[in-house]
């Protein structure tokens, strides 16, 4: 299949503006500024059916439309590059290998929504990405794609990189905005949504890196062409970072709706040592687990939601028969406990309690009634303040439901059966 | 505003746009449990206890953040809600230290009540309790993080409502804990208003003066009024067996105009009653010594000495109306001076325009669109009034414009704050007189013009207060403000009384400057000469009587000293900023002023009606500075106002320093300067403060002492001229 998002990554010095421009880069921006009105851009994006690649899958065109309708000034355009979930590394490829695609997407988005200033909120642990982005922005300024009166039009846009300080919660858009304002990274009450009251309580568009990287292509080839790729209700190419017990882990660009089975066994080469597949987390660390019987599911937002899990960032984690499911769930919930901001009770206390119970089970002092407690904690955590808490319990609760036998095995034998003594 | 209907638990409730479901429910008597929500605070949605079910919504929603929408159907007591609620409360209780037997909050703890009513009936938690073991002790406030449920009421109270931002969260997730900046209250800039303690739903924030002292449920509660400044805050005094244990404001429950907000003096100044400087018995001067005598004997001598004599009455204006009327009946009401003299000048200035010696109540600000404050350091003199003004902006969305000569805490929320040299204040106000009426008038300063524009066709509440009341210009300023208000038509003027009953004193007595007193017996009631009449010598007299609760420096000048009550021992009424306020005795004093005075013979009153000259024109500044002179304000710190920190052991722990704030231009890098006033000089350490305007200085003191005598002269202690000695 033709690569769209990863079209440039294999070229030498793909992060340089010359390389990017040689392959038609910044032509979409030129086209937008010279030929299209902001409303035309939004219309084109709406036709394309592009949905946010950050995890929630909100239609990008709609988000831009809301922002462009708001009359408050100035508006801000923020790129969410705080990719901090375990096993998610798709944005990194774009940031480090094709930064100009996202910068171009950002400028187009800013033009469409009328934003004057832009920020790239970059994960604190991407120091290389920061250098590359800063250089790329400097190059874009030099060529006149950023700054005052871009390409001779009266559209101006300034872009800055803001490095996070290592908090996963700052990937949540309102927490990201709080952090950007210099406050403690904690989610805000919604509504009002950032499109109406975001950074400094001004209209703010927050888009994921991958979403923005799609924009130049949509402008170049038209929304109609784009909407025919992949699943009809959420079209487009998607980056799937595959990790775990597969032969070829890595980032794969495939159309939306590619079956999970195909990704694992064809593209990623199957399971290491041809062992048996045990479980897959199809959408990052906070998604519910899928068993081997369920992996024929197409990877897109609605199909996975129907299967009781979610696409999230699209990060696929593969476990084989030698992996302990309790240990996997424990590792994931430990991550969420560490990253919970502590604002709301269910997430702060629930993650801690889950960790304590799972540690006990893994160490062989679990009890059968613990499983009921886990499920009831997970029910309470549904009422958390933000998405982190609402999803953090998923890996635990879903493994308890689907791998109950293994949990009971831990409880009954008083030890982890996968641990060599 | 158009109201609409929503249905909560089958009951049709009236709701207004912008209201949350919780507010509507509360008004309609439907109880929804809460932790992080508080009436006075911005909703946070953090505790997740107020979950409700909304028809048509897949998830439960928090009632405190959910805006009411027309035709919404909300259920607060379905099985699903009950289960979710119990689940959240279980999570809070799991690691909550159950120190209820020794917790000061037990009995009035919201976690106990909510847990009892809505919590799970059995614990499923089998893990060892997670201990934070972080206790942060300040001089008056203690944070026990083991008991904290991280509802963040204290943080919002401190940062948003009080504007101090002392408290914050350290660490994250399950390790999060509350602490002041750097773990130090004083370094963090804590004003010790105690509001954080008041809103804490559990026993995490503690009043150290009350810690381990008593149990909340067995104490007797007396609602009274604080007399330590003119704000007239309503507060609850808790006593047990006739001894005061603590004072609480009860924010959200208190129905006084202060809504439960207190300051350090109100919250912790109650122990002036138990000060070791309290006078225990009447004293009589015999030779060079003061001898203890009985009250009967003291009264006998007093009767003898005052008979037929004209009396110089020195009044401190925290006395109640009852005390004042008795005093005026016994000692006369024309040969009187008081520290309310400048307040009466302000009233006089307003009266010369409006024709009546009356000012509007504080609630006029609620009905106005713009609050126009003329005053400096209101946050030091009347801290609670400053808080209420701040809340008018952040809660009610009023615009606040401030005119003054020094920076203020209120500037942070002000729409516009105009800080000019003291002699220019009146000229600035005159720009407003023109600017609010003439659409095309320009003062030449955009800031003034935009502020004047904000006043046009708006209801304006003028507030005069703070140290501006002690400026030599006060009468002229208030006259100018009254003229401006008169021209605008739709405006009210409130003067913030600096002391509890400044208004009452002004009404009952014809106040004179001390030099004009012509009697032969001096009677000082509740005063401290240096504090209330700085720079004034007591007139020569045959006999001097001092009524005072404490051993003051005045006692040395007295022939007879009679003890009286103070603070929460007082009973009666005072004229507050809002209305006449009730004082209820929380503890019974041994000596009561009214009782003592009523045993003295009344004399015929001879009060003539005070003439009022109406002249409809703005005032003219009487200040003029020469080169090299600076205006300085003697500012008594928040803690030291009314000598509270001198008598109260609690407040003394957080007392401020004595220091001179100078603009760097005036300070010129000096660490110590000598201030030269008209009659004396004072060497003092300097703090460079670039938020001041050049040519002004603030002398912050904790207590007005004798060495300040040469610098200021009663009645004016603000905007006094002085020089800085060149070395």
């Amino acid at each position: 299949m033709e690569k769209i998002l990863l079209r440039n990554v294999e070229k030498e010095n793909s992060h340089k503006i010359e390389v990017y421009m040689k392959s038609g880069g910044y032509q979409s921006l030129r086209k937008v500024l010279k030929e299209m009105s902001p409303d035309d851009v939004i219309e084109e994006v709406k036709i394309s059916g592009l949905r946010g690649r950050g995890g929630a899958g909100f239609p990008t065109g709609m988000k831009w439309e809301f922002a462009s309708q708001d009359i408050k000034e100035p508006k801000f355009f923020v790129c969410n590059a705080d990719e901090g979930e375990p096993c998610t590394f798709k944005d990194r490829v774009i940031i480090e290998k094709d930064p100009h695609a996202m910068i171009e997407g950002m400028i187009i988005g800013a033009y469409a929504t009328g934003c004057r200033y832009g920020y790239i909120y970059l994960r604190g642990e991407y120091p290389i990405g920061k250098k590359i982005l800063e250089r790329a922005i400097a190059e874009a300024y030099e060529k006149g794609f950023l700054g005052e009166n871009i390409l001779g039009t009266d559209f101006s846009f300034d872009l800055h990189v803001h490095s996070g300080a290592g908090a996963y919660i700052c990937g949540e858009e309102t927490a990201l905005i709080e952090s950007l304002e210099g406050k403690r990274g904690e989610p805000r009450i919604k509504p009002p949504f950032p499109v109406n009251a975001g950074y400094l309580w001004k209209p703010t568009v927050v888009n994921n890196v991958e979403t923005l990287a799609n924009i130049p292509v949509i402008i170049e080839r038209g929304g109609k062409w784009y909407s025919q790729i992949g699943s009809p209700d959420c079209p487009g190419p998607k980056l799937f970072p595959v990790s775990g017990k597969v032969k070829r882990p890595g980032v794969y660009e495939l159309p939306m709706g590619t079956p999970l089975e195909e990704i694992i066994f064809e593209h990623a080469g199957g399971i290491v040592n041809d062992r048996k597949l045990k479980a897959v987390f199809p959408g990052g660390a906070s998604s519910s687990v899928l068993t081997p019987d369920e992996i024929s599911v197409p990877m897109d937002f609605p199909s996975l939601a129907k299967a009781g899990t979610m696409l999230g960032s699209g990060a696929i984690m593969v476990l084989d028969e030698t992996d302990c499911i309790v240990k996997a769930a424990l590792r994931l919930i430990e991550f969420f406990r560490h990253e919970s901001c502590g604002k709301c009770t269910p997430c702060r206390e629930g993650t801690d309690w889950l960790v304590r119970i799972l540690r006990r089970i893994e160490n062989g002092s679990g009890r059968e009634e613990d499983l009921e407690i886990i499920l009831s904690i997970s029910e309470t955590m549904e009422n958390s303040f933000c998405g982190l808490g609402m999803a953090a319990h998923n890996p635990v609760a879903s493994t308890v439901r689907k791998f109950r036998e293994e949990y009971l095995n831990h409880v009954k034998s008083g030890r982890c059966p996968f641990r060599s003594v | 505003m158009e109201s609409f209907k929503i249905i909560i638990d089958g009951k049709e409730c009236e709701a207004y746009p912008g209201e949350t479901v919780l507010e509507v429910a509360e008004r309609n008597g439907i109880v929804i449990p809460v932790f992080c929500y508080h009436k006075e605070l911005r909703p946070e949605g953090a505790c997740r206890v107020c979950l409700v079910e909304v028809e048509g919504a897949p998830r439960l929603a928090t009632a405190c953040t959910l805006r009411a929408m027309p035709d919404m159907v909300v259920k607060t007591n379905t099985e699903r809600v009950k289960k979710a609620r119990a689940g959240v409360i279980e999570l809070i209780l799991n690691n909550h230290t159950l120190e209820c037997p020794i917790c000061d909050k037990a009995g009035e703890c919201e976690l106990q009540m909510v847990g009892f009513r809505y919590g799970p009936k059995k614990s499923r938690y089998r893990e060892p309790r997670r201990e934070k073991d972080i206790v942060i002790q300040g001089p008056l406030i203690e944070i026990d993080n083991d008991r904290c449920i991280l509802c963040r009421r204290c943080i919002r109270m401190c940062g948003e409502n009080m504007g101090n931002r002392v408290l914050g969260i350290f660490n994250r997730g399950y390790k999060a804990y509350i602490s002041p900046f750097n773990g130090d209250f004083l370094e963090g800039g804590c004003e010790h208003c105690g509001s954080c303690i008041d809103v804490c739903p559990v026993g995490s924030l503690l009043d150290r003066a009350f810690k381990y002292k008593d149990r909340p449920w067995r104490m007797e509660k007396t609602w009274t009024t604080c007399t330590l400044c003119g704000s007239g805050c309503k507060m609850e005094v808790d006593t047990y067996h006739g001894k005061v244990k603590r004072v609480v404001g009860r924010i959200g429950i208190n129905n006084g105009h202060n809504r439960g907000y207190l300051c350090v003096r109100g919250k912790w100044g109650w122990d002036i009653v138990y000060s070791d400087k309290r006078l225990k018995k009447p004293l009589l001067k015999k030779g060079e010594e003061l001898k203890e005598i009985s009250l009967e004997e003291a009264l006998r001598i007093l009767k003898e000495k005052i008979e037929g004599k004209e009396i110089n009455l020195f009044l401190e204006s925290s006395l109640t109306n009852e005390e004042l009327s008795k005093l005026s009946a016994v000692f006369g009401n024309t040969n009187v001076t008081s520290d309310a003299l400048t307040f009466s000048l302000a009233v006089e200035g307003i009266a010369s325009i409006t024709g009546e010696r009356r000012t509007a109540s504080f609630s006029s600000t609620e009905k106005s669109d713009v609050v126009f404050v003329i005053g400096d350091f209101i946050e030091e003199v009347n801290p609670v009034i400053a808080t209420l003004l701040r809340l008018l902006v952040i809660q009610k969305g009023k615009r606040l414009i401030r005119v003054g000569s020094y920076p203020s805490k209120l500037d942070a929320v002000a729409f516009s704050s105009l800080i000019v040299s003291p002699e220019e204040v009146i000229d600035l106000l005159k720009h407003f007189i023109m600017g609010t009426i003439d659409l095309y008038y320009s003062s030449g300063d955009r800031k003034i013009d935009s502020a004047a524009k904000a006043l046009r066709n708006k209801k304006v509440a003028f507030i005069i207060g703070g140290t501006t009341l002690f400026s030599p210009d006060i009468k002229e300023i208030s006259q100018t403000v009254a003229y401006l208000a008169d021209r605008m038509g739709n405006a009210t003027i409130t003067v913030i009384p600096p002391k509890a009953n400044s208004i009452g004193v002004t009404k009952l007595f014809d106040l004179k400057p001390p030099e004009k007193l012509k009697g032969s017996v001096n009677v000082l009631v509740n005063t401290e000469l240096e504090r209330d009449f700085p720079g004034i010598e007591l007139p020569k007299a045959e006999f001097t009587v001092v009524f005072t609760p404490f051993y003051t420096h005045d006692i040395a000048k007295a022939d007879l000293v009679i003890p009286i009550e103070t603070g929460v021992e007082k009973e009666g009424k005072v004229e507050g900023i809002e209305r006449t306020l009730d004082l209820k005795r929380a503890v019974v004093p041994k000596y009561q002023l009214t009782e003592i005075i009523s045993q003295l013979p009344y004399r015929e009153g001879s009060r003539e009606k005070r003439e009022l000259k109406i002249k409809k024109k703005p005032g003219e500044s009487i200040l003029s500075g020469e080169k090299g002179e600076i205006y300085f304000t003697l500012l008594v710190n928040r803690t030291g106002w009314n000598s509270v920190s001198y008598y109260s052991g609690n407040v003394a722990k957080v007392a401020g320093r004595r220091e001179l704030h100078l603009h760097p231009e005036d300070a010129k890098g000096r660490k110590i300067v000598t201030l030269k006033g008209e009659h004396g000089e004072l060497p003092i350490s300097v703090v460079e403060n670039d938020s001041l305007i050049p040519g002004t200085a603030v002398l912050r003191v904790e207590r007005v002492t004798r060495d300040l005598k040469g610098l200021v002269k009663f009645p004016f202690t603000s905007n006094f001229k002085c020089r800085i000695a060149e070395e």
Side-chain angles (χ1 to χ4, degrees), chain A residues 184 186 344 352 356 360 376 379 383, chain B residues 46 48 83 124 127-128 130 152 171:
Chain A
R184 197 182 148 84
E186 274 175 5
C344 73
D352 184 45
R356 283 154 166 259
R360 248 183 328 108
S376 90
E379 221 170 279
N383 300 314
Chain B
R48 319 303 285 180
K83 202 176 158 200
R124 298 182 293 169
E127 328 304 322
R130 192 181 71 220
R152 300 161 177 230
N171 286 355

PDB file of all heavy atoms in Angstrom, chain A residues 184 186 344 352 356 360 376 379 383, chain B residues 46 48 83 124 127-128 130 152 171:
ATOM      1  N   ARG A 184      -0.172  23.773  37.704  1.00  0.00           N
ATOM      2  CA  ARG A 184      -0.073  22.364  37.928  1.00  0.00           C
ATOM      3  C   ARG A 184      -0.914  21.635  36.891  1.00  0.00           C
ATOM      4  O   ARG A 184      -2.051  22.025  36.631  1.00  0.00           O
ATOM      5  CB  ARG A 184      -0.634  22.103  39.321  1.00  0.00           C
ATOM      6  CG  ARG A 184      -0.299  20.819  39.953  1.00  0.00           C
ATOM      7  CD  ARG A 184      -1.014  20.784  41.305  1.00  0.00           C
ATOM      8  NE  ARG A 184      -1.373  19.417  41.612  1.00  0.00           N
ATOM      9  CZ  ARG A 184      -0.548  18.560  42.181  1.00  0.00           C
ATOM     10  NH1 ARG A 184       0.637  18.950  42.544  1.00  0.00           N
ATOM     11  NH2 ARG A 184      -0.902  17.310  42.395  1.00  0.00           N
ATOM     12  N   GLU A 186      -3.373  19.657  35.694  1.00  0.00           N
ATOM     13  CA  GLU A 186      -4.570  18.967  36.189  1.00  0.00           C
ATOM     14  C   GLU A 186      -5.732  19.305  35.275  1.00  0.00           C
ATOM     15  O   GLU A 186      -5.827  20.430  34.796  1.00  0.00           O
ATOM     16  CB  GLU A 186      -4.909  19.444  37.604  1.00  0.00           C
ATOM     17  CG  GLU A 186      -4.161  18.675  38.660  1.00  0.00           C
ATOM     18  CD  GLU A 186      -4.418  19.224  40.034  1.00  0.00           C
ATOM     19  OE1 GLU A 186      -5.232  20.133  40.166  1.00  0.00           O
ATOM     20  OE2 GLU A 186      -3.772  18.733  40.966  1.00  0.00           O
ATOM     21  N   CYS A 344      -9.053  13.900  41.578  1.00  0.00           N
ATOM     22  CA  CYS A 344     -10.322  13.308  41.978  1.00  0.00           C
ATOM     23  C   CYS A 344     -10.119  12.018  42.753  1.00  0.00           C
ATOM     24  O   CYS A 344      -9.146  11.307  42.569  1.00  0.00           O
ATOM     25  CB  CYS A 344     -11.232  13.084  40.770  1.00  0.00           C
ATOM     26  SG  CYS A 344     -10.735  11.726  39.724  1.00  0.00           S
ATOM     27  N   ASP A 352      -4.530   3.241  43.461  1.00  0.00           N
ATOM     28  CA  ASP A 352      -3.676   2.753  44.551  1.00  0.00           C
ATOM     29  C   ASP A 352      -4.206   1.438  45.119  1.00  0.00           C
ATOM     30  O   ASP A 352      -3.468   0.489  45.346  1.00  0.00           O
ATOM     31  CB  ASP A 352      -3.597   3.817  45.640  1.00  0.00           C
ATOM     32  CG  ASP A 352      -2.659   3.404  46.755  1.00  0.00           C
ATOM     33  OD1 ASP A 352      -1.552   2.920  46.428  1.00  0.00           O
ATOM     34  OD2 ASP A 352      -3.017   3.539  47.934  1.00  0.00           O
ATOM     35  N   ARG A 356      -2.445  -2.319  45.055  1.00  0.00           N
ATOM     36  CA  ARG A 356      -2.194  -3.082  46.273  1.00  0.00           C
ATOM     37  C   ARG A 356      -2.814  -4.484  46.185  1.00  0.00           C
ATOM     38  O   ARG A 356      -2.199  -5.470  46.586  1.00  0.00           O
ATOM     39  CB  ARG A 356      -2.757  -2.335  47.479  1.00  0.00           C
ATOM     40  CG  ARG A 356      -1.873  -1.196  47.900  1.00  0.00           C
ATOM     41  CD  ARG A 356      -2.652  -0.118  48.608  1.00  0.00           C
ATOM     42  NE  ARG A 356      -1.737   0.779  49.286  1.00  0.00           N
ATOM     43  CZ  ARG A 356      -1.493   0.725  50.589  1.00  0.00           C
ATOM     44  NH1 ARG A 356      -2.103  -0.138  51.355  1.00  0.00           N
ATOM     45  NH2 ARG A 356      -0.637   1.559  51.126  1.00  0.00           N
ATOM     46  N   ARG A 360      -0.744  -8.122  45.782  1.00  0.00           N
ATOM     47  CA  ARG A 360      -0.985  -9.251  46.684  1.00  0.00           C
ATOM     48  C   ARG A 360      -1.268 -10.516  45.896  1.00  0.00           C
ATOM     49  O   ARG A 360      -0.731 -11.578  46.186  1.00  0.00           O
ATOM     50  CB  ARG A 360      -2.163  -8.925  47.600  1.00  0.00           C
ATOM     51  CG  ARG A 360      -1.734  -8.757  49.026  1.00  0.00           C
ATOM     52  CD  ARG A 360      -2.841  -8.508  50.010  1.00  0.00           C
ATOM     53  NE  ARG A 360      -4.004  -7.793  49.571  1.00  0.00           N
ATOM     54  CZ  ARG A 360      -5.189  -8.388  49.380  1.00  0.00           C
ATOM     55  NH1 ARG A 360      -5.321  -9.687  49.578  1.00  0.00           N
ATOM     56  NH2 ARG A 360      -6.202  -7.684  48.991  1.00  0.00           N
ATOM     57  N   SER A 376     -15.645  -3.905  41.487  1.00  0.00           N
ATOM     58  CA  SER A 376     -16.448  -2.801  42.023  1.00  0.00           C
ATOM     59  C   SER A 376     -15.625  -1.510  42.081  1.00  0.00           C
ATOM     60  O   SER A 376     -16.159  -0.416  41.902  1.00  0.00           O
ATOM     61  CB  SER A 376     -17.042  -3.166  43.386  1.00  0.00           C
ATOM     62  OG  SER A 376     -16.178  -2.810  44.422  1.00  0.00           O
ATOM     63  N   GLU A 379     -15.798  -0.054  38.740  1.00  0.00           N
ATOM     64  CA  GLU A 379     -17.086   0.605  38.502  1.00  0.00           C
ATOM     65  C   GLU A 379     -17.066   2.018  39.082  1.00  0.00           C
ATOM     66  O   GLU A 379     -17.545   2.965  38.463  1.00  0.00           O
ATOM     67  CB  GLU A 379     -18.174  -0.208  39.196  1.00  0.00           C
ATOM     68  CG  GLU A 379     -19.436  -0.345  38.401  1.00  0.00           C
ATOM     69  CD  GLU A 379     -20.338  -1.363  39.071  1.00  0.00           C
ATOM     70  OE1 GLU A 379     -20.138  -2.589  38.885  1.00  0.00           O
ATOM     71  OE2 GLU A 379     -21.212  -0.912  39.821  1.00  0.00           O
ATOM     72  N   ASN A 383     -16.470   6.931  37.404  1.00  0.00           N
ATOM     73  CA  ASN A 383     -16.963   8.265  37.713  1.00  0.00           C
ATOM     74  C   ASN A 383     -15.833   9.257  37.958  1.00  0.00           C
ATOM     75  O   ASN A 383     -16.005  10.233  38.675  1.00  0.00           O
ATOM     76  CB  ASN A 383     -17.857   8.196  38.952  1.00  0.00           C
ATOM     77  CG  ASN A 383     -19.032   7.289  38.732  1.00  0.00           C
ATOM     78  OD1 ASN A 383     -19.690   7.365  37.711  1.00  0.00           O
ATOM     79  ND2 ASN A 383     -19.275   6.403  39.668  1.00  0.00           N
TER      80      ASN A 383
ATOM     81  N   ALA B  46     -13.925  17.622  42.234  1.00  0.00           N
ATOM     82  CA  ALA B  46     -12.828  16.707  42.501  1.00  0.00           C
ATOM     83  C   ALA B  46     -13.224  15.507  43.350  1.00  0.00           C
ATOM     84  O   ALA B  46     -12.714  14.420  43.141  1.00  0.00           O
ATOM     85  CB  ALA B  46     -11.675  17.453  43.174  1.00  0.00           C
ATOM     86  N   ARG B  48     -16.102  13.853  43.737  1.00  0.00           N
ATOM     87  CA  ARG B  48     -17.014  12.931  43.045  1.00  0.00           C
ATOM     88  C   ARG B  48     -18.050  12.296  43.982  1.00  0.00           C
ATOM     89  O   ARG B  48     -18.503  11.178  43.740  1.00  0.00           O
ATOM     90  CB  ARG B  48     -16.266  11.809  42.293  1.00  0.00           C
ATOM     91  CG  ARG B  48     -15.030  12.216  41.577  1.00  0.00           C
ATOM     92  CD  ARG B  48     -15.222  13.284  40.583  1.00  0.00           C
ATOM     93  NE  ARG B  48     -15.850  12.900  39.341  1.00  0.00           N
ATOM     94  CZ  ARG B  48     -16.092  13.764  38.358  1.00  0.00           C
ATOM     95  NH1 ARG B  48     -15.756  15.023  38.492  1.00  0.00           N
ATOM     96  NH2 ARG B  48     -16.677  13.367  37.272  1.00  0.00           N
ATOM     97  N   LYS B  83     -24.926   3.576  45.017  1.00  0.00           N
ATOM     98  CA  LYS B  83     -23.787   2.663  44.963  1.00  0.00           C
ATOM     99  C   LYS B  83     -22.506   3.417  44.595  1.00  0.00           C
ATOM    100  O   LYS B  83     -21.453   3.237  45.209  1.00  0.00           O
ATOM    101  CB  LYS B  83     -24.070   1.591  43.916  1.00  0.00           C
ATOM    102  CG  LYS B  83     -23.264   0.337  44.136  1.00  0.00           C
ATOM    103  CD  LYS B  83     -23.653  -0.734  43.131  1.00  0.00           C
ATOM    104  CE  LYS B  83     -22.525  -1.724  43.007  1.00  0.00           C
ATOM    105  NZ  LYS B  83     -22.596  -2.491  41.778  1.00  0.00           N
ATOM    106  N   ARG B 124     -14.147  -3.010  53.277  1.00  0.00           N
ATOM    107  CA  ARG B 124     -13.599  -4.177  52.556  1.00  0.00           C
ATOM    108  C   ARG B 124     -12.093  -4.049  52.414  1.00  0.00           C
ATOM    109  O   ARG B 124     -11.456  -4.856  51.759  1.00  0.00           O
ATOM    110  CB  ARG B 124     -14.221  -4.258  51.162  1.00  0.00           C
ATOM    111  CG  ARG B 124     -15.712  -4.456  51.167  1.00  0.00           C
ATOM    112  CD  ARG B 124     -16.217  -4.580  49.750  1.00  0.00           C
ATOM    113  NE  ARG B 124     -16.060  -3.327  49.013  1.00  0.00           N
ATOM    114  CZ  ARG B 124     -16.221  -3.216  47.698  1.00  0.00           C
ATOM    115  NH1 ARG B 124     -16.527  -4.289  46.987  1.00  0.00           N
ATOM    116  NH2 ARG B 124     -16.080  -2.059  47.086  1.00  0.00           N
ATOM    117  N   GLU B 127      -5.802  -3.863  53.077  1.00  0.00           N
ATOM    118  CA  GLU B 127      -4.382  -3.511  52.949  1.00  0.00           C
ATOM    119  C   GLU B 127      -3.968  -2.689  54.177  1.00  0.00           C
ATOM    120  O   GLU B 127      -4.810  -2.110  54.841  1.00  0.00           O
ATOM    121  CB  GLU B 127      -4.137  -2.673  51.683  1.00  0.00           C
ATOM    122  CG  GLU B 127      -5.039  -2.961  50.495  1.00  0.00           C
ATOM    123  CD  GLU B 127      -5.040  -4.399  50.045  1.00  0.00           C
ATOM    124  OE1 GLU B 127      -3.973  -5.015  50.079  1.00  0.00           O
ATOM    125  OE2 GLU B 127      -6.113  -4.926  49.697  1.00  0.00           O
ATOM    126  N   PRO B 128      -2.671  -2.649  54.446  1.00  0.00           N
ATOM    127  CA  PRO B 128      -2.232  -1.776  55.535  1.00  0.00           C
ATOM    128  C   PRO B 128      -2.522  -0.311  55.172  1.00  0.00           C
ATOM    129  O   PRO B 128      -2.442   0.058  54.008  1.00  0.00           O
ATOM    130  CB  PRO B 128      -0.729  -2.021  55.618  1.00  0.00           C
ATOM    131  CG  PRO B 128      -0.347  -2.688  54.360  1.00  0.00           C
ATOM    132  CD  PRO B 128      -1.548  -3.388  53.831  1.00  0.00           C
ATOM    133  N   ARG B 130      -2.294   3.417  54.346  1.00  0.00           N
ATOM    134  CA  ARG B 130      -1.227   4.187  53.730  1.00  0.00           C
ATOM    135  C   ARG B 130      -1.000   5.455  54.559  1.00  0.00           C
ATOM    136  O   ARG B 130      -1.901   6.267  54.727  1.00  0.00           O
ATOM    137  CB  ARG B 130      -1.687   4.571  52.330  1.00  0.00           C
ATOM    138  CG  ARG B 130      -0.635   5.129  51.422  1.00  0.00           C
ATOM    139  CD  ARG B 130      -1.267   5.467  50.096  1.00  0.00           C
ATOM    140  NE  ARG B 130      -2.144   6.623  50.202  1.00  0.00           N
ATOM    141  CZ  ARG B 130      -3.307   6.723  49.589  1.00  0.00           C
ATOM    142  NH1 ARG B 130      -3.756   5.766  48.828  1.00  0.00           N
ATOM    143  NH2 ARG B 130      -4.049   7.815  49.726  1.00  0.00           N
ATOM    144  N   ARG B 152      -9.480  20.146  48.454  1.00  0.00           N
ATOM    145  CA  ARG B 152      -8.916  21.403  47.942  1.00  0.00           C
ATOM    146  C   ARG B 152      -9.738  22.635  48.251  1.00  0.00           C
ATOM    147  O   ARG B 152      -9.591  23.665  47.607  1.00  0.00           O
ATOM    148  CB  ARG B 152      -8.730  21.317  46.419  1.00  0.00           C
ATOM    149  CG  ARG B 152      -7.816  20.227  46.060  1.00  0.00           C
ATOM    150  CD  ARG B 152      -7.998  19.850  44.633  1.00  0.00           C
ATOM    151  NE  ARG B 152      -7.008  18.825  44.316  1.00  0.00           N
ATOM    152  CZ  ARG B 152      -6.226  18.893  43.283  1.00  0.00           C
ATOM    153  NH1 ARG B 152      -6.274  19.903  42.472  1.00  0.00           N
ATOM    154  NH2 ARG B 152      -5.354  17.944  43.059  1.00  0.00           N
ATOM    155  N   ASN B 171       3.517  17.080  45.221  1.00  0.00           N
ATOM    156  CA  ASN B 171       3.454  15.702  44.700  1.00  0.00           C
ATOM    157  C   ASN B 171       2.149  15.460  43.956  1.00  0.00           C
ATOM    158  O   ASN B 171       1.304  16.329  43.874  1.00  0.00           O
ATOM    159  CB  ASN B 171       3.626  14.678  45.807  1.00  0.00           C
ATOM    160  CG  ASN B 171       5.069  14.613  46.255  1.00  0.00           C
ATOM    161  OD1 ASN B 171       5.919  15.257  45.675  1.00  0.00           O
ATOM    162  ND2 ASN B 171       5.333  13.842  47.277  1.00  0.00           N
TER     163      ASN B 171
END
